[in-house]
Amino acid sequence: MSVSSHGAAQSDPTVQPVPASVVEQVDAADVTLSNPRRAVIALGSNLGNRLETLQGAIDALEDTPGLRVKAVSPVYETEPWGVEAGSQPSYFNAVVVVKTTLPPASLLERGHAIEEAFDRVRDERWGPRTIDVDIIAYADVVSDDPVLTLPHPRAHQRAFVLAPWHDVDPEAQLPGHGSVADLLSAVGRDGVLPRADLELRLPE
């Protein structure tokens, strides 16, 4: 990956989220991973340059050995949960679909490492986050391991996860909960604003 190609991608307005049909074709041609598993990762940021941070996290995932980013959702803007309105900046949220040979525990470690790499401006203990990297689902694994519960125990209730996930994979299923489309219909899209003016790119 050269720096110049990254710069070009940033200024290219034609870069769009990759539809699932194209993802399948890419998978068929991608022989760099043997027997990869599909995982869904949610990203959120409400401090600093939120879009740049989300893109940095996506690029860091792509740079992980044994992992390829296959799809990147549109960006959504959402209000923080559980805090007084206006007391924190709004979040930018996105979902990425990856193929990986890493087991769930190693993927979790990588997510934590990315959070730590970006989490340099956290001033308050209960304050906003530079970046959250949450594993939402890993293949069809259902696990109540307290270290990493799969799928994510609250994903089925969170429109800021379900809406971008549905954008990149309209047929997606959340293991144990049914289709993402049905879950999103049940939760509704209140407070989840699509930001068509913002864009994350698929790493080259």
Side-chain angles (χ1 to χ4, degrees), residues 60-83:
L61 284 168
E62 175 70 15
D63 288 341
T64 303
L67 187 150
R68 289 287 172 270
V69 176
K70 293 298 188 179
V72 178
S73 79
V75 179
Y76 283 80
E77 185 170 6
T78 61
E79 290 304 313
W81 279 42
V83 298

Side-chain angles (χ1 to χ4, degrees), residues 33-39 66 98-104 138-141:
L33 300 179
S34 58
N35 300 320
R37 312 299 293 275
R38 180 183 176 95
V98 306
K99 283 292 185 77
T100 184
T101 53
L102 297 175
Y138 182 97
D140 296 323
V141 174

Side-chain angles (χ1 to χ4, degrees), residues 41 89 99 106 151:
I41 298 173
K99 283 292 185 77
S106 299

Side-chain angles (χ1 to χ4, degrees), residues 38-184:
R38 180 183 176 95
V40 178
I41 298 173
L43 304 174
S45 173
N46 79 329
L47 274 186
N49 186 327
R50 296 165 292 178
L51 190 69
E52 194 174 279
T53 299
L54 291 180
Q55 186 66 59
I58 292 166
D59 292 344
L61 284 168
E62 175 70 15
D63 288 341
T64 303
L67 187 150
R68 289 287 172 270
V69 176
K70 293 298 188 179
V72 178
S73 79
V75 179
Y76 283 80
E77 185 170 6
T78 61
E79 290 304 313
W81 279 42
V83 298
E84 189 178 335
S87 67
Q88 287 186 21
S90 60
Y91 272 87
F92 285 177
N93 294 98
V95 162
V96 295
V97 177
V98 306
K99 283 292 185 77
T100 184
T101 53
L102 297 175
S106 299
L107 190 58
L108 180 66
E109 284 178 13
R110 181 59 176 158
H112 286 166
I114 292 170
E115 287 181 343
E116 287 175 16
F118 282 95
D119 215 358
R120 298 182 184 130
V121 289
R122 187 194 296 180
D123 298 321
E124 316 159 46
R125 184 171 178 194
W126 304 114
R129 296 296 294 274
T130 314
I131 186 73
D132 272 322
V133 180
D134 287 325
I135 301 171
I136 300 303
Y138 182 97
D140 296 323
V141 174
V142 177
S143 165
D144 54 10
D145 182 331
V147 176
L148 176 57
T149 304
L150 289 169
H152 191 289
R154 291 171 295 282
H156 64 287
Q157 303 167 331
R158 292 181 167 177
F160 63 82
V161 170
L162 298 170
W165 188 3
H166 182 261
D167 286 336
V168 288
D169 189 355
E171 307 298 318
Q173 299 281 324
L174 182 63
H177 293 280
S179 81
V180 169
D182 290 346
L183 293 168
L184 181 57

